[in-house]
Amino acid sequence: MTFVPEPLDPDDDRAPYEQVASSLGAAIRTRRLAPGEKLPSHKELTELYGFARATIQRALRDLEDEGLVVSRKGSGVYVRNRTERPAGLRPYVEQAFANDHVTIDFAGFSSETLHGALQEPLDKIRIGRLTPSSITMRILVPDMSVPQAAPVRMKDGADDKRLRDRMRDIMVSYTRSIRDAITELQHLGLVAETRISVRVHSGTQFFKLYVINGEDAFFGYYPIRPNKVVAQGETIEIFDLVGKDTTLFHHSINDGESSSGAQQVQQARMWFDSVWETIGRDFDLDAR
């Protein structure tokens, strides 16, 4: 089947190579370009998109850096098999907002990465380039009112309430910002219905999980690293859960009903629902 790209948005103010990379990336994520499939040649892509060869080359480099395609010398560029490989979260979050109904479940430590991944799609809703009718998010985080396995003081491995208070403040800051930004879209009449729910549980969260539109799951472990933080005016050496070093692995129901990827998504949804509906407790972001 000959690949035909979706028409580019004439109002898109991004650089041409970014527009091409976004278009091809969307085709890969929705399996219009399937894993293992060869992309059209550079010449064909220049004709399809109407941009110079250098623009196409730059777009393909970005897709390769993102892990969506692989270049084989003398053969061409192919869609990489996406099962159980490191993946970037942001493009999939943005793609999710092209749907009419958007759902995101997040389990992790602070929702900082989610906050960053949401900025571009929310901006596109504000200017009318994305138009979902509903957004539903569930955020599941550890209860920092009780001791955790980490963060703890490095010198003796002991719990320190100041560290928990610091982590609670970070979580509340990012999660409240997400809630306020999405709720504002409803107040402005840009999204008909929004719902953001936050629950806490007493266990330490050693991994992060995103389930996007019930179809894609991203999973990664938090490494524990030595760190220095300032808590209530004192510098403390700690063993910390470091989110920025987390490698995310992508699984999708689009890999096929009986595939490992589809089973991973199913199990991720089951795990999240089980914790949310049993030991998860509602958390008030505005409580002091």
Side-chain angles (χ1 to χ4, degrees):
M1 182 184 296
T2 302
F3 170 65
V4 179
E6 295 289 337
L8 298 179
D9 184 351
D11 296 324
D12 195 336
D13 57 3
R14 290 177 297 176
Y17 76 87
E18 292 179 303
Q19 296 181 48
V20 174
S22 178
S23 172
L24 289 171
I28 292 168
R29 286 186 288 275
T30 58
R31 293 180 66 86
R32 287 189 293 115
L33 287 170
E37 184 175 344
K38 184 178 179 180
L39 269 64
S41 68
H42 285 64
K43 182 176 183 296
E44 290 169 326
L45 289 173
T46 61
E47 294 172 353
L48 286 169
Y49 285 105
F51 290 127
R53 181 182 178 88
T55 296
I56 301 301
Q57 289 175 326
R58 174 67 187 273
L60 293 176
R61 282 201 304 272
D62 280 11
L63 292 175
E64 191 163 12
D65 290 343
E66 192 181 327
L68 290 178
V69 303
V70 58
S71 178
R72 297 173 185 166
K73 190 173 182 180
S75 178
V77 180
Y78 292 79
V79 179
R80 177 175 285 178
N81 188 329
R82 295 177 296 152
T83 303
E84 298 183 1
R85 65 170 185 80
L89 178 68
R90 286 175 184 260
Y92 288 88
V93 170
E94 183 171 344
Q95 184 68 25
F97 278 81
N99 289 16
D100 194 37
H101 301 287
V102 181
T103 63
I104 297 178
D105 290 337
F106 165 72
F109 218 62
S110 72
S111 73
E112 180 178 358
T113 302
L114 177 61
H115 178 272
L118 288 170
Q119 297 313 300
E120 189 165 347
L122 295 189
D123 282 344
K124 289 185 176 181
I125 292 174
R126 293 183 186 104
I127 62 176
R129 281 173 49 194
L130 290 172
T131 56
S133 62
S134 72
I135 301 172
T136 302
M137 288 192 190
R138 297 187 296 176
I139 296 175
L140 185 65
V141 289
D143 182 359
M144 284 297 152
S145 69
V146 299
Q148 301 284 324
V152 292
R153 293 195 302 258
M154 189 186 303
K155 64 179 181 181
D156 54 9
D159 172 64
D160 191 319
K161 185 176 181 298
R162 294 172 299 174
L163 299 177
R164 290 191 277 112
D165 288 345
R166 172 182 174 272
M167 286 307 304
R168 179 191 181 280
D169 290 345
I170 291 172
M171 182 277 289
V172 168
S173 175
Y174 283 110
T175 306
R176 187 186 288 158
S177 178
I178 290 171
R179 179 202 63 185
D180 292 349
I182 291 176
T183 301
E184 181 186 44
L185 298 176
Q186 183 173 353
H187 292 160
L188 294 173
L190 298 173
V191 179
E193 182 181 1
T194 62
R195 180 187 174 104
I196 313 297
S197 304
V198 182
R199 290 187 178 179
V200 296
H201 61 90
S202 299
T204 303
Q205 191 72 38
F206 284 111
F207 62 88
K208 63 170 61 176
L209 170 69
Y210 305 83
V211 181
I212 300 175
N213 283 354
E215 298 180 347
D216 293 275
F218 293 81
F219 179 92
Y221 293 101
Y222 287 114
I224 295 182
R225 301 274 192 262
N227 195 11
K228 284 185 179 181
V229 300
V230 176
Q232 297 182 15
E234 181 181 343
T235 301
I236 308 174
E237 293 186 335
I238 69 172
F239 288 121
D240 204 2
L241 291 153
V242 184
K244 67 181 180 181
D245 289 342
T246 301
T247 297
L248 292 175
F249 290 87
H250 175 224
H251 309 279
S252 177
I253 63 171
N254 290 327
D255 292 337
E257 185 176 343
S258 62
S259 68
S260 171
Q263 293 175 45
Q264 290 281 358
V265 174
Q266 181 184 24
Q267 290 300 304
R269 293 169 60 180
M270 181 275 294
W271 177 88
F272 190 98
D273 287 342
S274 72
V275 177
W276 185 268
E277 295 166 3
T278 57
I279 62 174
R281 304 182 302 279
D282 288 337
F283 182 83
D284 185 355
L285 289 171
D286 298 313
R288 297 295 179 185

